[in-house]
Amino acid sequence: QLGIERPQGYTVSFHYNPKVEQHHFGSKHPMKPWRLQLTKQLVFGYGLHYAMDLNESLPAEHRDLAEFHDNDYLNFLQYIKSDDQTQKRHQEELNRYVFTDEFNDCPIFDGIWDYVTLCTGATLEAAHALSSGESNIAISWSGGLHHAKKRQASGFCYVNDIVLAIQHLLQSYTRVLYIDIDVHHGDGVEAAFFNTDRVMTLSYHKYGEFFPGTGGPDDSGPKGFEEPGAYFSLNVPLEDGIDDSDYGWLFRKVTGKTIEVFKPEAIVLQCGADSLGGDRLGKFNLNIKAHGSCVEYVKSRNLPLLMLGGGGYTPRNVARTWCHETAVACNVQLGSDDGRASSIEIPNFVPYRAAFEGAGNGNGLLYPELNIRKLQHPKTYTREDLENTAARCLEQLRHIEG
Ligand code: TV7
Ligand code: CA
Ligand code: ZN
């Protein structure tokens, strides 16, 4: 693509392995790994690979995963098969590790070990690109699986690539900030670093009758005020229908202050795209541009930045969002700036499915603006609620100031 160049003064690296896209959670399951293929096709179609270092990453190994996860749990993931006979033999472990029920959030599917090690491999390689100084912004869209626990799968997540990446970054950086804009609470990451003041976790999410149910206003870390980690878990519980301007206002206010007082040396940003309007599971009303401007805001701090995927259940919007955010990382402008359908046509060599599903039939990248504007989830909060939430967050941050 003409005109796509490397950004000046810094390096972006893109970490992926196309084998991830081939895995299936089951036909009815909302998590669709093929959304990553759609994303990649858009990214390449726009020529963004000319602006980045590309890395086809290797799968992570058992011992990499064991830096956080329990060995018995990893053995189970490595050897479990989807056939009935094997499952019967392992019924006790199944109940212990993945909570089987009719519509299983975390089903056992063929190639599950390959899937988890490929997702984690890309994220760990991205983290390494940062810590080694090879790149300033490293992207791993197959990562961001924030619910997985030490010895328990949860919410479509089996292995917590984020925790493993942060553990790696802590070898090079004193303080790491984790920011999570997925519509769900980043409970697994919060739990893993609950008792340390070297990692601050900040999650924006829907709260109230919504998975996983944690991340309420009083969830701020250990309660003994002298304990390390007290006040270092920051949660921003939100209600249905939050829109671009309210989310953007809150995000800037709270994230800005967090960076100011915590003074991170590196940032990990989970870019879950289920906070967009029109998502199959989410309940927010963000447009792609507003979601992307959160990325832009974090990037503007010029700290080593690890960008990860996460949720996102309307594949065409996921692909558009992560393609746009790849462009943001590279300082490339793809869509028009008026918040409407982009004037930039999808390049001819984007594969048909990506051109159609991913970018909307001849319309530009930001096309879903039009879809998303039709409010699916009406607002259930007031301006006052929002101001109270912001005030409560700033109040918590006063405890870690200075
Ligand atoms: C990071 N919501 C993950 C988000 C994980 C959300 C849930 C489903 C769901 C699962 C299915 C399915 C579904 C239409 C939606 C309490 C339950 C209620 C299963 C029906 N359709 C991320 C996890 C969340 C599985 N889980 O943050 C197979 O929705 O609410 C729950 C738990 C028990 C299980 N049932 C739902 O975005 C990647 N699950 C269809 C088939
Ligand atoms: Ca979140
Ligand atoms: Zn989510």
Side-chain angles (χ1 to χ4, degrees), residues 146 180-186 203-205:
H146 58 181
D180 184 319
I181 60 172
D182 189 289
V183 74
H184 298 95
H185 176 224
S203 176
Y204 298 81
H205 47 266

Side-chain angles (χ1 to χ4, degrees), residues 153-180:
S154 170
F156 317 163
C157 308
Y158 303 83
V159 167
N160 202 314
D161 63 299
I162 310 173
V163 170
L164 292 163
I166 294 175
Q167 284 178 339
H168 174 85
L169 294 174
L170 287 173
Q171 295 172 21
S172 308
Y173 305 105
T174 311
R175 285 176 308 281
V176 176
L177 174 62
Y178 173 67
I179 307 171
D180 184 319

Side-chain angles (χ1 to χ4, degrees), residues 113-374:
W113 180 253
D114 291 341
Y115 171 79
V116 300
T117 54
L118 287 163
C119 291
T120 309
T123 297
L124 284 180
E125 195 190 79
H128 185 261
L130 295 175
S131 65
S132 66
E134 281 163 60
S135 70
N136 306 91
I137 302 181
I139 302 175
S140 167
W141 292 132
S142 63
L145 305 172
H146 58 181
H147 298 306
K149 310 295 187 312
K150 210 181 197 42
R151 45 183 297 128
Q152 178 90 67
S154 170
F156 317 163
C157 308
Y158 303 83
V159 167
N160 202 314
D161 63 299
I162 310 173
V163 170
L164 292 163
I166 294 175
Q167 284 178 339
H168 174 85
L169 294 174
L170 287 173
Q171 295 172 21
S172 308
Y173 305 105
T174 311
R175 285 176 308 281
V176 176
L177 174 62
Y178 173 67
I179 307 171
D180 184 319
I181 60 172
D182 189 289
V183 74
H184 298 95
H185 176 224
D187 59 346
V189 184
E190 177 181 293
F193 300 109
F194 206 63
N195 293 301
T196 175
D197 52 13
R198 289 184 63 197
V199 178
M200 173 133 199
T201 58
L202 167 57
S203 176
Y204 298 81
H205 47 266
K206 172 171 166 58
Y207 180 71
E209 287 169 53
F210 198 63
F211 187 86
T214 48
D218 300 326
D219 175 3
S220 61
K223 287 304 169 203
F225 65 94
E226 291 284 79
E227 300 214 30
Y231 307 113
F232 285 79
S233 300
L234 184 51
N235 284 297
V236 190
L238 301 166
E239 297 202 45
D240 285 12
I242 192 161
D243 61 20
D244 294 354
S245 65
D246 288 341
Y247 195 96
W249 176 80
L250 200 59
F251 184 85
R252 279 165 182 71
K253 209 169 168 78
V254 174
T255 307
K257 192 70 182 172
T258 303
I259 294 172
E260 186 190 318
V261 305
F262 180 60
K263 300 181 181 66
E265 291 179 356
I267 299 181
V268 177
L269 178 59
Q270 197 267 21
C271 304
D274 48 6
S275 40
L276 293 172
D279 188 80
R280 183 175 158 198
L281 298 189
K283 307 211 178 265
F284 291 170
N285 274 315
L286 301 186
N287 282 296
I288 289 176
K289 236 178 85 179
H291 198 273
S293 72
C294 296
V295 176
E296 179 112 56
Y297 183 80
V298 172
K299 171 182 179 271
S300 72
R301 298 310 157 109
N302 296 321
L303 290 163
L305 175 60
L306 176 57
M307 286 169 54
L308 304 174
Y313 306 100
T314 302
R316 63 183 184 280
N317 290 343
V318 178
R320 290 160 167 147
T321 302
W322 290 346
C323 175
H324 172 59
E325 289 169 5
T326 305
V328 166
C330 298
N331 220 4
V332 169
Q333 179 84 32
L334 290 183
S336 70
D337 212 25
D338 59 5
R340 308 190 132 263
S342 164
S343 53
I344 297 188
E345 293 288 312
I346 294 298
N348 284 335
F349 42 87
V350 173
Y352 176 77
R353 188 175 180 190
F356 185 76
E357 284 264 11
N361 230 354
N363 291 292
L365 186 70
L366 300 179
Y367 169 73
E369 305 278 348
L370 302 172
N371 278 336
I372 290 172
R373 282 245 173 75
K374 294 186 218 143

